[in-house]
């Protein structure tokens, strides 16, 4: 009788975790549309055009009296959002671990970001300051929300399942990004048929991402459960809390070693994502429609890549699979250096290569890091991880820009990014993952 009760309890617990996992996937489904449609495709060119309409005769706008070139306003606004996120994330992460109430904080971050994104419908005329404010709020809110979302992974998946669960989450995100981007591009391309101007179509596309984000966030909020922890720590101001988190990480040097490797190779990944369209348009002479199709191709193949690499990790281990993906990144960039101009087919092949390794390398990095986090400090440590993902990715664009400035060649600039993958590979290969997991106080999976 007692054995049957134990089995029933274990079955109920497993069913509960499966339900949470399915709910967890939907946050990636909800918020990834913001990254794809808003940040990657529509907002940069549109906000720049709005700023140019507000510019003076010399091409400058003057937010708070500071002269800024209209063409630089979007980049500076993104940088400001990163600074805000860096301050807020450690504060929120510490509060989440201390109270065990992640779900209300996730809801606050998600709906703040969704509301700001939906508000972009009113970005018209020369309202560049409104656009900048909404972008800062939405970007920072997305970073905070993703940090909290990631911190659930160690709680909803046992060690042997985390690679697969993390990969499915990324796949859900890329699938949503592709679905909404196709719909937005249909609306944008055929805006006359819908009785909309081109500007109005862009505003609808921007706002739809916010509505999607808010609507599908309801699923994880209904299914995820808060777990109260025994971590007791006074909440400090954001930057002080970040310092405290890094100081605590020094007690786990192998975890810190992985984070350093991730910071470097992820900087290369993020720079390729952000600069590929510049390379395609400026160096290869490709049109906007070609670049948009390439973005869609990356999104679709990233779904397959994330799932396939999750399966490879079950056989070869996450660390080896990530190392293999870094080799693939290096080969892809080397091939990109030799791409002929005005040859969209070859650019699509390059996009396919990026898509196949993009989702998997990100998903497995997240799941591997989840094994290296001391129990009870998930949100706090994932705040540092999220800052590595979003807040620290500045060196790659700087190297890309400086290389172009010195050589006048985007080909030289794109090949310079190989250094991030080579250095990241070397640092990751040096991390004894099994020992790092044990020293963090977590059970060691069979494959690593």
């Amino acid at each position: 009788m007692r054995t049957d009760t134990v089995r029933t309890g274990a079955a109920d617990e497993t069913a509960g975790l499966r339900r949470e996992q399915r709910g967890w996937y939907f946050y990636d489904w909800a918020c990834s549309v913001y990254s794809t449609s808003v940040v990657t495709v529509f907002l940069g060119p549109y906000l720049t055009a709005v700023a140019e309409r507000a510019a003076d005769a010399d091409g400058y706008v003057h937010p708070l009296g500071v002269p800024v070139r209209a063409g630089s306003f979007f980049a500076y606004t993104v940088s400001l959002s990163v600074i805000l996120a860096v301050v807020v994330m450690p504060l929120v992460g510490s509060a989440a671990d201390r109270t065990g109430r992640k779900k209300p904080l996730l809801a606050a971050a998600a709906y703040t970001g969704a509301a700001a994104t939906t508000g972009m419908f009113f970005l018209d005329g020369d309202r560049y300051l409104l656009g900048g404010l909404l972008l800062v709020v939405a970007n920072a809110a997305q970073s905070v929300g993703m940090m909290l979302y990631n911190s659930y992974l160690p709680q909803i998946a046992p060690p042997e399942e985390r690679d697969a669960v993390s990969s499915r989450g990324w796949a859900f995100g890329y699938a949503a990004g592709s679905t909404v981007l196709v719909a937005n591009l249909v609306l944008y391309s055929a805006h006359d048929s819908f009785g909309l101007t081109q500007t109005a179509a862009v505003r609808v596309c921007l706002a739809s991402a916010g509505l999607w984000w808010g609507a599908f966030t309801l699923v994880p909020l209904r299914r995820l459960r808060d777990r109260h922890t025994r971590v007791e720590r006074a909440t400090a101001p954001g930057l002080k809390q970040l310092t405290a988190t890094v100081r605590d990480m020094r007690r786990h040097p192998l975890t810190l070693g992985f984070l350093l490797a991730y910071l470097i190779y992820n900087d290369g990944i993020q720079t390729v994502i952000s600069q590929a369209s510049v390379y395609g348009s400026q160096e290869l002479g490709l049109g906007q429609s070609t670049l948009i199709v390439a973005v869609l191709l990356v999104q679709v193949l990233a779904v397959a890549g994330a799932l396939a690499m999750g399966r490879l990790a079950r056989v070869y281990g996450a660390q080896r699979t990530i190392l293999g993906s870094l080799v693939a990144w290096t080969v892809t960039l080397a091939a990109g250096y030799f791409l002929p101009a005005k040859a969209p087919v070859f650019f699509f092949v390059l996009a396919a290569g990026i898509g196949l390794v993009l989702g998997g390398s990100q998903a497995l990095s997240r799941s591997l890091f989840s094994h290296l986090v001391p129990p009870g400090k998930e949100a706090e440590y994932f705040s540092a991880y999220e800052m590595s993902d979003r807040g620290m990715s500045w060196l790659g664009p700087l190297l890309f820009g400086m290389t172009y400035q010195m050589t006048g060649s985007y080909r030289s600039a794109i090949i310079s990014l190989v250094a991030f993958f080579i250095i990241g590979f070397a640092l990751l290969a040096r991390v004894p993952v099994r020992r790092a997991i044990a020293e963090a106080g977590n059970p060691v999976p069979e494959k690593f």
Side-chain angles (χ1 to χ4, degrees):
M1 188 76 172
R2 186 175 299 170
T3 302
D4 291 341
T5 302
V6 171
R7 288 176 179 170
T8 301
D12 289 343
E13 179 64 22
T14 299
L17 286 178
R18 292 286 181 267
R19 186 175 188 275
E20 284 192 90
Q21 289 168 9
R22 289 191 290 270
W24 185 78
Y25 301 147
F26 268 92
Y27 190 72
D28 234 325
W29 175 272
C31 75
S32 292
V33 170
Y34 169 80
S35 298
T36 304
S37 289
V38 177
V39 177
T40 303
V41 177
F42 287 110
L43 186 58
Y46 184 69
L47 182 57
T48 300
V50 171
E52 287 173 346
R53 286 197 290 271
D56 60 21
D58 296 320
Y60 285 84
V61 290
H62 300 269
L64 303 178
V66 179
V68 174
R69 282 194 180 275
S72 300
F73 181 72
F74 176 73
Y76 288 148
T77 304
V78 172
S79 297
L80 182 59
S81 73
V82 169
I83 294 171
L84 178 61
V86 165
V87 173
V88 174
M89 278 194 292
L91 178 64
V92 175
S94 177
D97 286 333
R98 181 172 52 83
T99 64
R101 293 178 58 79
K102 296 179 185 178
K103 197 154 64 169
L105 294 170
L106 177 61
Y111 284 107
T112 297
T117 306
T118 305
M120 292 176 186
F121 178 79
F122 301 102
L123 177 57
D124 198 7
D126 59 358
R127 299 175 180 172
Y128 76 98
L129 281 177
L130 173 64
L133 175 62
L134 294 174
L135 174 57
V136 167
V137 173
N139 252 11
Q142 191 203 30
S143 295
V144 173
M146 284 300 295
M147 175 266 294
L148 293 165
Y149 162 74
N150 288 337
S151 71
Y152 272 101
L153 181 59
Q155 298 178 347
I156 65 172
E160 66 275 8
E161 293 184 8
R162 286 183 199 164
D163 293 339
V165 170
S166 182
S167 296
R168 289 188 201 111
W170 278 106
F172 263 63
Y174 284 116
S178 301
T179 301
V180 175
L181 186 56
V182 168
N184 284 343
L185 289 178
V186 169
L187 176 65
Y188 177 75
S189 302
H191 57 86
D192 288 336
S193 302
F194 293 97
L196 297 171
T197 64
Q198 189 177 73
T199 298
V202 171
R203 290 161 50 211
V204 170
C205 291
L206 293 172
S208 67
L211 295 174
W212 179 284
W213 186 356
F216 284 103
T217 294
L218 291 171
V219 179
L221 292 180
R222 286 181 62 86
R223 294 196 172 188
L224 291 172
R225 292 184 292 129
D226 280 333
R227 292 156 172 87
H228 293 280
T229 65
R230 287 177 288 184
V231 175
E232 304 220 355
R233 175 177 295 172
T235 303
L239 292 177
K240 289 186 178 180
Q241 182 58 55
L242 174 60
T243 303
T245 300
V246 173
R247 189 181 300 118
D248 187 75
M249 278 187 171
R250 292 175 62 185
R251 297 171 48 238
H252 304 281
L254 298 181
T255 300
L256 197 57
F258 169 80
L259 195 61
L260 176 61
Y262 174 74
L263 186 153
I264 292 173
Y265 70 73
N266 183 65
D267 199 347
I269 291 172
Q270 297 303 321
T271 306
V272 172
I273 293 171
S274 65
Q275 301 302 321
S277 60
V278 175
Y279 183 67
S281 61
Q282 299 299 319
E283 184 69 31
L284 303 181
L286 301 175
Q288 183 67 31
S289 60
T290 299
L291 298 177
I292 291 174
V293 172
V295 170
L296 274 172
L297 184 61
V298 169
Q299 294 290 311
V300 172
L301 290 179
V303 177
L307 296 176
M309 287 181 64
R311 293 190 182 95
L312 287 174
R314 287 202 294 269
V315 178
Y316 300 104
Q319 184 182 28
R320 290 191 185 94
T321 306
I322 295 170
L323 290 171
S325 77
L326 297 182
V327 173
W329 274 105
T330 302
V331 172
T332 301
L333 285 181
Y337 178 83
F338 295 103
L339 282 185
K342 298 187 181 301
V345 173
F346 290 102
F347 190 71
F348 291 151
V349 173
L350 181 70
I354 291 174
L356 287 173
V357 294
L358 174 61
S361 53
Q362 292 176 317
L364 293 179
S365 295
R366 176 172 64 185
S367 62
L368 178 53
F369 183 70
S370 74
H371 293 282
L372 308 180
V373 176
K377 297 185 177 180
E378 291 84 4
E380 182 180 344
Y381 270 55
F382 267 108
S383 70
Y385 178 88
E386 189 67 17
M387 281 184 284
S388 298
D389 189 14
R390 299 173 189 276
M392 304 301 182
S393 296
W394 56 271
L395 186 57
L398 178 63
L399 177 62
F400 187 92
M402 290 178 63
T403 303
Y404 176 74
Q405 183 171 329
M406 290 186 293
T407 65
S409 169
Y410 282 106
R411 294 184 187 272
S412 298
I414 202 74
I415 202 67
S416 70
L417 301 179
V418 166
F420 290 93
F421 298 102
I422 294 175
I423 296 171
F425 181 99
L427 291 175
L428 179 58
R430 290 171 56 89
V431 178
V433 170
R434 298 182 70 86
R435 182 154 63 91
I437 295 172
E439 290 184 2
N442 295 314
V444 181
E446 182 180 347
K447 287 289 184 182
F448 255 104

